[in-house]
Amino acid sequence: MKEVKERKVLPEVGRGYVFIYSPFCGTCHLAREMLDIIEKMDGKDIFYEMNASLFPEFMQEYQVSSVPCLLIWKDGGIEEKVYAFESVTKIFNLMKEKEKL
């Protein structure tokens, strides 16, 4: 995963996936493991990761209500927010569906 240290790192054009977490959140650790599996399947870094505590303005601006959260980012804005990390398969299929569009 590519760590977001400043907001300008996020893509302005195209699609990206931003994993928002808190280092003290157990569910976030499990969600990250799921995303790690997807990256291993693809063989490259797919996700940006953002520590919610370091970007309170971003959380408020984009109305991120809880962590973990996966933002599906397109052309500089949010296309969708995913809060339920039910399974690797579900997240992987959602990503493949978005890539077709």
Side-chain angles (χ1 to χ4, degrees):
M1 284 193 198
K2 299 169 254 183
E3 185 178 353
V4 175
K5 294 183 181 182
E6 52 186 309
R7 183 175 169 176
K8 68 181 178 180
V9 171
L10 298 175
E12 290 297 320
V13 178
R15 185 175 311 282
Y17 301 93
V18 183
F19 173 59
I20 300 175
Y21 71 97
S22 169
F24 307 108
C25 165
T27 307
C28 295
H29 290 284
L30 293 173
R32 189 180 200 294
E33 288 179 19
M34 290 183 189
L35 300 180
D36 283 341
I37 291 169
I38 293 171
E39 285 190 336
K40 284 178 186 167
M41 289 170 37
D42 206 43
K44 61 183 177 193
D45 288 340
I46 299 170
F47 303 101
Y48 291 90
E49 66 177 344
M50 178 184 278
N51 183 338
S53 345
L54 302 177
F55 294 92
E57 307 84 25
F58 183 91
M59 300 302 120
Q60 188 171 23
E61 180 181 345
Y62 289 100
Q63 299 177 350
V64 176
S65 57
S66 67
V67 292
C69 179
L70 181 65
L71 300 180
I72 300 174
W73 193 266
K74 184 168 183 187
D75 297 330
I78 296 174
E79 183 177 26
E80 187 172 341
K81 296 175 197 168
V82 177
Y83 292 104
F85 288 75
E86 297 172 16
S87 71
V88 171
T89 305
K90 184 166 183 169
I91 295 167
F92 182 77
N93 288 338
L94 174 65
M95 290 171 64
K96 290 299 173 195
E97 180 182 300
K98 294 295 180 183
E99 294 296 324
K100 291 179 186 176
L101 300 177

